[in-house]
Amino acid sequence: MQDNHKVVEAYERGWLIFGLAMILVFIVIISYTVLNRGETISRGAGQIDVATVRTTSPFANPRVEQVGGEYVAYVQAFAFGYLPAEIKVKKGVKVTFYITSPDVQHGFYVEGTNINPQIIPGEVTKLEYVFKKAGTYRIVCNEYCGISHAQMFGKIVVEE
């Protein structure tokens, strides 16, 4: 009986070491991906009253501004569209997006990139991205937001 107890302890120790090693591998892969592949991590940039999103600055006038050598985009995601519907920026220039919603939860997935924040009513989401290729990128809502959800698109035009 004594020998079986030692064998079980050895298996438990082995599985514990395996589990910890897998956690370490996961952390290393995530860190490498974030640092080297340009992953975008959206952050909360404050809150806004849902009832006044459309009348309160800066979302009362959704737009793209060129500030110095960068762009700042204030975007509203609403049922069933985005304002501005088209965003024009230059290739290789950092774009900072501030996005919110006045109604329900939406997605802001930019095809061909890793931009994919969840837009929550009353929360302002901030993310930064540099488009390395010129072209047109479609913005897709990937959170079901109502009956015309499938028609909810926007676009980002990246010029040379």
Side-chain angles (χ1 to χ4, degrees), residues 54-94:
R54 291 183 167 133
T55 58
T56 304
S57 183
F59 295 101
N61 181 22
R63 64 196 178 281
V64 180
E65 296 177 345
Q66 188 164 9
V67 180
E70 302 177 359
Y71 291 99
V72 179
Y74 298 97
V75 180
Q76 270 188 42
F78 59 93
F80 301 99
Y82 298 96
L83 282 178
E86 181 177 304
I87 297 170
K88 286 187 178 181
V89 296
K90 297 282 186 193
K91 180 179 94 174
V93 178
K94 183 171 91 175

Side-chain angles (χ1 to χ4, degrees), residues 128-141:
E128 299 170 344
Y129 193 78
V130 176
F131 291 91
K132 296 177 181 166
K133 293 181 182 175
T136 300
Y137 297 80
R138 192 166 68 154
I139 304 167
V140 178
C141 178

Side-chain angles (χ1 to χ4, degrees), residues 81-136:
Y82 298 96
L83 282 178
E86 181 177 304
I87 297 170
K88 286 187 178 181
V89 296
K90 297 282 186 193
K91 180 179 94 174
V93 178
K94 183 171 91 175
V95 183
T96 303
F97 293 94
Y98 291 92
I99 313 163
T100 193
S101 169
D103 46 31
V104 297
Q105 185 172 299
H106 295 282
F108 190 82
Y109 173 62
V110 180
E111 291 180 334
T113 71
N114 52 17
I115 299 173
N116 191 17
Q118 184 177 29
I119 311 304
I120 299 170
E123 299 288 329
V124 178
T125 300
K126 177 184 177 184
L127 64 94
E128 299 170 344
Y129 193 78
V130 176
F131 291 91
K132 296 177 181 166
K133 293 181 182 175
T136 300

Side-chain angles (χ1 to χ4, degrees), residues 31-48:
S31 298
Y32 174 79
T33 303
V34 168
L35 295 175
N36 295 313
R37 299 211 39 197
E39 295 294 320
T40 59
I41 300 173
S42 60
R43 299 181 297 247
Q47 297 183 331
I48 189 167

